[in-house]
Amino acid sequence: MQFTRTLPRELVHRAAVAEVFLTDAERRGEDEILLAAQLPRRHAFYHDTLGDRSRRDPMLLLEACRQGIFVVAHRYLGVPLGHKFLLRAVEFDVPDPAALDGDDPSTEAVIATRIEQRFHGRAGMTGLRLGFDMTIGAREALMARIDYSWMPPRAWARLRAGQRGAFGLPEVPVALPGPRAEPALVGRHDPANAVISAPRTAQDGTRTARLIADTDHPTLYDHWVDHVPGMLELEAFRQLALTAAVDAGTLRTPTALMVGLAARFRCFAEMDLPLECRTAPVLPGTDIECGLHQRGAPAAEARVRLADPDTAGLSGALAAPAARGAG
């Protein structure tokens, strides 16, 4: 595997070369592909944290895997460039938290990728379930699974026009503005990296905030899309879960790492309608249940596991991995 140059940006659906993390891909069998990634040592989004900035963000590792879904489809399964893609489900665990530590300066990662299931429709293959096992040096840093589908541009246009028309929305969305939470509240320095409004806590412990879609964000909106991207939805879950855990007293500060996730996307989340992010009451030692709702209907849901490196230590034992089966 080579780490000297990135894969073509159009192959991983990125506009900025700086946002391309994959450097190589090689098919090892009918269902086995090996991917190589060079992870940035300082990234304006993934390393913007009140905690140790040398620590690797699991969401950065997940983004490298997410870029792999396009490589597998385009390079090895013949899906044409220009087809549109949908995330259906995402899950990951951090099996060796010490692999996230900043003591190892290595930025090179190898991702063993498996086609676990092929999804078919009347026109042929329409999607995949991929499993990922990322190693950095000799350590297993991330295990992930992503379900996704694709469709030609015309089918996408019909699908989007149908949902937006049902909501009475214009063809081209304009993101709703709104005040963001203070960045320190969600563990950030840069106000642009706060993606939720100031949370509100109900008497029953439920915590809610609005997702703020900023189409000028250089990472979350690296290129134009007409809906709220899945990675932005996951970031909103993370930020609200951090505030909920601090508010409940299970975390001291919002610097914890998200070491487990199981999420399912139900439908497009429209950026020009209010989008409410909600957590269930936080109980010690359990995953945090999160939901995203629009017009009273669920758009996505997730279970989030957080680990506080400042109290438990990244080399210490954590809770059991998130249950498989989100896809």
Side-chain angles (χ1 to χ4, degrees):
M1 307 300 287
Q2 66 86 18
F3 299 89
T4 58
R5 60 186 180 277
T6 61
L7 293 178
R9 59 184 183 171
E10 63 271 14
L11 189 62
V12 299
H13 292 208
R14 296 273 89 181
V17 173
E19 294 294 329
V20 180
F21 303 146
L22 297 185
T23 61
D24 204 357
E26 181 180 315
R27 196 166 194 170
R28 295 294 181 90
E30 181 66 23
D31 295 328
E32 305 290 331
I33 296 97
L34 206 60
L35 302 171
Q38 185 179 68
L39 304 173
R41 297 184 69 174
R42 286 290 186 275
H43 189 279
F45 178 69
Y46 294 109
H47 290 104
D48 175 34
T49 173
L50 299 181
D52 183 353
R53 293 189 66 192
S54 67
R55 211 168 262 141
R56 298 183 182 92
D57 181 357
M59 288 285 279
L60 168 63
L61 277 54
L62 177 65
E63 170 59 21
C65 295
R66 191 191 71 89
Q67 293 183 14
I69 72 176
F70 306 115
V71 176
V72 172
H74 291 314
R75 179 168 285 187
Y76 300 112
L77 297 178
V79 177
L81 291 172
H83 269 46
K84 303 293 187 177
F85 284 70
L86 275 172
L87 286 178
R88 300 290 188 178
V90 174
E91 57 183 280
F92 74 75
D93 299 315
V94 178
D96 182 5
L100 305 177
D101 245 333
D103 294 337
D104 181 0
S106 173
T107 61
E108 296 177 354
V110 175
I111 310 168
T113 306
R114 305 169 305 283
I115 299 175
E116 296 186 352
Q117 189 171 344
R118 292 169 168 82
F119 302 111
H120 293 85
R122 286 178 295 179
M125 194 185 309
T126 59
L128 294 172
R129 171 176 295 159
L130 296 183
F132 302 91
D133 191 349
M134 176 186 287
T135 56
I136 301 174
R139 293 187 180 275
E140 189 177 36
L142 191 81
M143 296 179 65
R145 179 179 291 155
I146 298 177
D147 287 16
Y148 65 109
S149 60
W150 55 76
M151 65 187 72
R154 286 186 178 180
W156 176 275
R158 288 195 301 269
L159 185 64
R160 293 297 290 126
Q163 176 166 312
R164 292 188 62 78
F167 288 161
L169 297 172
E171 181 179 351
V172 179
V174 177
L176 286 180
R180 305 169 190 260
E182 288 295 320
L185 189 68
V186 295
R188 300 286 190 163
H189 290 283
D190 187 347
N193 290 332
V195 304
I196 59 172
S197 65
R200 306 180 307 276
T201 304
Q203 288 186 341
D204 64 357
T206 301
R207 199 165 178 84
T208 60
R210 253 194 63 200
L211 183 149
I212 307 298
D214 177 5
T215 56
D216 290 327
H217 196 284
T219 296
L220 297 171
Y221 276 91
D222 162 78
H223 57 282
W224 169 255
V225 291
D226 63 1
H227 59 283
V228 178
M231 291 296 282
L232 173 52
E233 296 180 37
L234 298 183
E235 181 61 27
F237 285 145
R238 166 163 64 174
Q239 292 188 10
L240 189 59
L242 283 170
T243 71
V246 171
D247 191 55
T250 60
L251 286 178
R252 294 185 303 110
T253 62
T255 58
L257 291 167
M258 185 160 65
V259 296
L261 170 75
R264 183 186 294 275
F265 302 97
R266 297 291 184 181
C267 63
F268 291 104
E270 303 294 351
M271 69 178 86
D272 44 1
L273 289 175
L275 193 56
E276 184 185 75
C277 195
R278 185 186 307 160
T279 67
V282 177
L283 301 175
T286 64
D287 294 346
I288 299 175
E289 301 286 339
C290 303
L292 202 61
H293 295 81
Q294 194 160 63
R295 289 199 165 180
E301 67 249 358
R303 297 192 315 274
V304 173
R305 175 169 297 112
L306 301 170
D308 190 341
D310 298 323
T311 57
L314 281 182
S315 59
L318 299 176
R324 293 293 189 186

